[in-house]
Amino acid sequence: MNKFTSNSLFLGLIAVASVGNLSAQSSKSPSPDKFINVANMDLSVKPGDNFYEYANGLWLKNNPIPAKEVRWGSFNVLHDFNVNAVRSLLTEAAANKNAKPGSLEKRVGDFYGAGMDSLTIEKLGYSPIKPDLAKIDIIKNLEGVKTAIASLRTNGSASPLFDFYVDQDSKHPEVMAAILSQGGITLPDRDYYLKDDARSLKAREAYQQYIVKLFTLIATPQLTAEKNAKTVFDIERQLAQAQYSRVEMRDPYKTYNKFSLTDFSKQTPGLDWKKLLAEMKVTEEDSLIVDNPAFFTTAAKLLQDVPVENWKVYLKWNILKRAANSLNSPFVNASFEFGKVLSGQKVQKPRWERMSGTTDAVIGELLGQLYVKEYFKPEAKARMQELVSNLSKAFEIRINKQDWMSDSTKQKALDKLHAFTPKIGYPDKWENYEGLQINRNTYFQNLRNAGAWAYNKMISKLGKPVDKTEWGMTPPTVNAYYNPVLNEIVFPAGILHFPFFDPKADDAINYGGIGAVIGHEMSHGFDDEGSQYDKDGTLRNWWTAEDLKNFKTRTEKLAEQFDGYTVLDTVHVNGKLTLGENIGDLGGLNVAYEAFKMTKQGQSNEKIDGFTPDQRFFLSWAQVWRMNIRPETAAQLIIVDPHSPSEYRSVGPLVNMDAWYKAFDVKPGDKLYVAPENRIRIW
């Protein structure tokens, strides 16, 4: 399964799951005629008034969102090209009748082929989950409910009531720990249950209709299904009320609460964590890390107060919602109809595209081995290593230039920078999913097997040394990330493609694209969250009191800047929720520019296609973020996404960079103009 989904410390470039991508080195990979194309720009707009429109205006007008998408921009165009490339790998593997049992081709082909066997899936209906539902029916008491909560998790069926995972202990990163996290709800965020604005009310109504629909699909009478919907929603609303907000969940100290099993059991009367963990196959641990202890106190009280019959409904719902997209058309269509209320998506993606994504999500390092063999070339990795090295040198220069930091804190920052572990392209050690059973004729069972396999692998890490070779993304993913407890920056092969990177492009394009991505991930090590971890990945303070005060003053100003941006109606960007990513963008672009100015082109004034090197650098950055988005999706992302909307990611850092003003002759009176003394400077 996708490893990073369980890692609460994962800090990615974008809120996009893995997608297939071709390396820029492939002969099959397209290269644009012009890396900066004026046909995509709106030259009638002054750069200083609306740089996003100036750089992307005609592209935005000429590229409406396809019906099967919820947003359409550079990432999506790349995805659309890439997913077709991955499709060719999967189709070839599925058609290969000579593939040896146990080979990459055989396992990947069988998994994808089973998912594409819609006739069998339609014929089976919901029979794959009937045994799970039957087990819930025979529960007699609260102990049976607790046992089901554990067993559904271990067999890959569902994760009811709370989230559980194994990860590094952030105060002792050499140790793998059992971690409990708030959970138990279905809607994207607690706010959907707690707010009474029109969008939240519409989402809640659609959600309860969805619950009713899935229950009726398993032959539940309509009136009973409606009662079940109320039961499920009431339980989830009470769980939502006990959850921390997403801003609170970004505080690594607030969410680090370590308990002995005995002490935590006392805090959650009725929940014997030693017994419950044993039922979850965890037997050797004597302690837990808990992100929100009060949530579990509430959950324990709910278990006591809510009737067993209601809990059985809730457990059935967890099975249904997890399985819906993997069953026959009525279930898949019901899931889509609910989802489109939240996202605005018009039509479902074709089955092959959904199965391609599922294959990458479930066995991505098997697919990834086929992918890099075919498309990823050593030259791409070598060029990335060079860029990472150059960005590191630039970051060192910028740290040393900061006038708001003491020498002692600067040295610790440099120590952390020099300790970064870069990972480029694909893992040195592949996950081969040993023991995972994949059958060409049993799509749903393949998913269930994968869920159980992933759970068993996860808990097997307890008591073992941390495996620093693991990746949190698959090789075909168009994204990148920073992990503070490993102090690593990771760039999958999938992102090494235009508009981020192209070996034929001039330095301005590559530094404004992939260079800024590298700088972004490096800057996560020094954002408001990552800066609380030292060079070894340990959660502990390494700042002097005065330096930390100066840092917070600057970051608070950045939060205020983004709070001022409007998205829909009166909905604003949440500056505190997006602060880490905004620091990443501001720091990343500054560091990339510093590195660019070390290059021959960066030190020249030679124009290409009418633009100076500096102009090309900033235009390259801006075109990465061009995107049209459905209002429903925009509204949802404001609540759940720690990244700012693309328009503001494009211009937010620029208005704080003197070089941008000089490059485009931005003057007082221009709408984006910020006086030099008010420009925010962090890294």
Side-chain angles (χ1 to χ4, degrees):
M1 306 294 278
N2 238 350
K3 296 171 195 165
F4 75 77
T5 54
S6 67
N7 188 348
S8 62
L9 300 173
F10 173 87
L11 298 166
L13 176 68
I14 52 169
V16 175
S18 60
V19 294
N21 180 40
L22 287 175
S23 162
Q25 274 62 39
S26 169
S27 61
K28 303 173 187 176
S29 176
S31 184
D33 294 329
K34 290 186 176 182
F35 296 104
I36 301 298
N37 191 341
V38 293
N40 292 325
M41 301 171 64
D42 187 346
L43 300 180
S44 69
V45 177
K46 284 183 66 177
D49 283 345
N50 190 330
F51 190 72
Y52 183 68
E53 285 287 331
Y54 169 77
N56 301 307
L58 294 184
W59 188 96
L60 294 169
K61 291 176 183 176
N62 295 328
N63 289 271
I65 306 169
K68 69 183 181 71
E69 304 290 346
V70 297
R71 46 186 174 177
W72 193 247
S74 291
F75 287 95
N76 308 91
V77 172
L78 183 53
H79 165 79
D80 202 54
F81 168 75
N82 299 332
V83 78
N84 279 282
V86 169
R87 180 191 190 184
S88 69
L89 290 173
L90 293 170
T91 303
E92 183 178 344
N96 186 354
K97 296 181 180 180
N98 297 318
K100 295 179 181 179
S103 66
L104 292 175
E105 291 81 0
K106 177 67 173 171
R107 301 178 78 197
V108 170
D110 281 353
F111 187 92
Y112 180 72
M116 291 301 293
D117 184 5
S118 57
L119 290 177
T120 298
I121 293 168
E122 293 300 320
K123 182 179 178 181
L124 288 173
Y126 75 95
S127 61
I129 61 171
K130 283 184 177 179
D132 294 318
L133 297 171
K135 289 178 183 177
I136 303 302
D137 281 331
I138 63 174
I139 292 174
K140 301 298 183 185
N141 51 38
L142 186 56
E143 287 305 308
V145 171
K146 297 175 191 175
T147 296
I149 288 172
S151 64
L152 288 173
R153 183 170 273 103
T154 61
N155 68 21
S157 299
S159 298
L161 194 61
F162 58 85
D163 291 336
F164 168 77
Y165 58 96
V166 173
D167 209 339
Q168 289 168 265
D169 182 330
S170 57
K171 291 191 177 181
H172 307 279
E174 73 283 357
V175 175
M176 300 300 289
I179 302 175
L180 291 176
S181 180
Q182 64 184 30
I185 64 175
T186 304
L187 288 167
D189 187 80
R190 68 168 199 167
D191 284 1
Y192 283 88
Y193 297 85
L194 308 181
K195 291 185 175 181
D196 290 328
D197 59 280
R199 289 189 181 92
S200 299
L201 292 173
K202 182 179 179 181
R204 291 206 291 265
E205 180 182 357
Y207 176 44
Q208 291 184 73
Q209 290 174 357
Y210 178 45
I211 300 173
V212 171
K213 180 64 176 178
L214 290 197
F215 271 106
T216 57
L217 287 176
I218 60 169
T220 304
Q222 179 72 21
L223 291 178
T224 304
E226 292 172 0
K227 181 181 177 183
N228 289 352
K230 184 178 185 307
T231 296
V232 169
F233 186 81
D234 286 348
I235 290 173
E236 291 191 358
R237 181 172 54 190
Q238 292 179 80
L239 293 173
Q241 289 169 338
Q243 289 189 357
Y244 285 156
S245 69
R246 287 183 182 258
V247 172
E248 290 174 304
M249 288 294 288
R250 294 191 69 252
D251 185 336
Y253 283 99
K254 184 168 188 171
T255 55
Y256 184 96
N257 304 280
K258 198 166 189 175
F259 295 91
S260 71
L261 299 187
T262 301
D263 287 346
F264 196 55
S265 296
K266 291 177 182 177
Q267 188 162 326
T268 56
L271 284 175
D272 180 343
W273 286 101
K274 185 175 181 62
K275 182 175 184 293
L276 189 56
L277 284 180
E279 291 181 334
M280 291 162 56
K281 301 186 178 182
V282 176
T283 56
E284 302 297 324
E285 297 298 295
D286 59 6
S287 62
L288 280 166
I289 297 173
V290 184
D291 64 3
N292 180 357
F295 171 86
F296 288 89
T297 302
T298 296
K301 188 174 187 305
L302 281 175
L303 281 169
Q304 300 291 337
D305 295 347
V306 173
V308 168
E309 290 303 311
N310 289 13
W311 281 116
K312 290 166 68 173
V313 170
Y314 174 77
L315 292 174
K316 282 188 174 183
W317 169 243
N318 275 263
I319 294 168
L320 283 168
K321 71 178 183 181
R322 171 72 69 87
N325 276 313
S326 308
L327 298 174
N328 64 353
S329 294
F331 287 89
V332 173
N333 292 340
S335 179
F336 173 74
E337 288 301 316
F338 166 57
K340 78 188 230 183
V341 174
L342 300 180
S343 70
Q345 185 176 345
K346 302 303 181 185
V347 300
Q348 287 189 65
K349 293 186 177 183
R351 184 168 195 87
W352 69 262
E353 189 169 351
R354 288 181 276 134
M355 292 305 103
S356 174
T358 301
T359 305
D360 188 41
V362 176
I363 51 171
E365 288 195 23
L366 293 183
L367 174 60
Q369 290 176 68
L370 297 177
Y371 165 76
V372 299
K373 180 181 178 182
E374 182 73 19
Y375 296 113
F376 189 66
K377 305 301 180 185
E379 307 91 86
K381 189 165 189 174
R383 178 62 171 142
M384 272 296 289
Q385 288 170 331
E386 178 186 351
L387 286 164
V388 169
S389 177
N390 292 346
L391 266 290
S392 183
K393 292 173 186 175
F395 212 130
E396 181 173 337
I397 291 170
R398 293 195 63 81
I399 289 173
N400 281 319
K401 285 199 292 192
Q402 301 307 324
D403 59 5
W404 54 272
M405 295 176 74
S406 66
D407 288 342
S408 63
T409 303
K410 283 182 182 179
Q411 186 56 54
K412 288 185 172 65
L414 291 171
D415 290 343
K416 181 171 185 177
L417 174 68
H418 296 152
F420 278 165
T421 298
K423 294 179 177 179
I424 299 167
Y426 55 90
D428 293 326
K429 183 176 74 175
W430 289 103
E431 173 59 71
N432 283 314
Y433 307 87
E434 184 177 354
L436 173 58
Q437 295 296 313
I438 298 173
N439 189 295
R440 183 62 169 254
N441 302 313
T442 58
Y443 173 61
F444 188 88
Q445 191 59 48
N446 288 341
L447 292 175
R448 183 61 56 81
N449 292 347
W453 181 91
Y455 182 85
N456 290 332
K457 177 178 171 57
M458 178 183 74
I459 62 169
S460 74
K461 298 176 183 179
L462 291 166
K464 294 180 182 177
V466 174
D467 185 354
K468 296 185 178 182
T469 68
E470 284 195 332
W471 279 49
M473 286 180 173
T474 63
T477 304
V478 183
N479 210 333
Y481 70 92
Y482 171 74
N483 186 336
V485 288
L486 286 174
N487 198 27
E488 64 180 9
I489 51 176
V490 186
F491 308 95
I495 201 168
L496 297 183
H497 189 64
F498 184 79
F500 299 100
F501 173 78
D502 193 300
K504 300 175 184 176
D506 52 297
D507 280 333
I509 300 302
N510 283 331
Y511 277 87
I514 197 66
V517 171
I518 296 168
H520 174 100
E521 301 309 338
M522 287 180 169
S523 297
H524 270 315
F526 305 96
D527 69 16
D528 64 312
E529 188 175 4
S531 64
Q532 299 183 70
Y533 298 80
D534 69 9
K535 68 182 181 67
D536 300 317
T538 304
L539 180 61
R540 63 178 165 211
N541 181 47
W542 48 272
W543 298 71
T544 67
E546 185 65 22
D547 291 341
L548 187 58
K549 179 181 177 182
N550 288 336
F551 176 67
K552 288 184 176 179
T553 297
R554 290 163 186 264
T555 60
E556 286 168 0
K557 289 180 180 178
L558 191 63
E560 291 172 4
Q561 174 189 332
F562 279 82
D563 277 338
Y565 293 139
T566 303
V567 183
L568 292 167
D569 310 324
T570 58
V571 177
H572 284 249
V573 176
N574 185 336
K576 289 183 178 178
L577 176 62
T578 59
L579 181 57
E581 298 298 334
N582 296 333
I583 294 172
D585 285 345
L586 178 58
L589 197 59
N590 270 294
V591 173
Y593 183 75
E594 185 90 36
F596 172 57
K597 299 307 284 185
M598 299 178 193
T599 68
K600 182 178 179 180
Q601 184 190 20
Q603 295 169 11
S604 78
N605 290 312
E606 183 179 347
K607 291 184 178 182
I608 300 176
D609 295 331
F611 298 105
T612 67
D614 277 18
Q615 288 174 334
R616 290 176 68 80
F617 173 88
F618 290 116
L619 287 168
S620 177
W621 164 259
Q623 71 180 0
V624 164
W625 299 112
R626 60 191 180 203
M627 180 179 292
N628 287 310
I629 187 168
R630 299 196 189 282
E632 296 90 342
T633 296
Q636 179 180 341
L637 291 179
I638 282 297
I639 297 172
V640 304
D641 189 1
H643 304 83
S644 294
S646 289
E647 175 181 357
Y648 300 121
R649 295 191 73 173
S650 174
V651 302
L654 300 183
V655 299
N656 294 305
M657 294 181 65
D658 297 344
W660 173 72
Y661 288 83
K662 183 178 179 181
F664 291 96
D665 195 29
V666 180
K667 304 279 191 179
D670 291 344
K671 293 177 182 178
L672 292 176
Y673 182 84
V674 175
E677 65 272 17
N678 294 327
R679 295 171 195 168
I680 301 162
R681 310 176 199 275
I682 304 176
W683 299 114

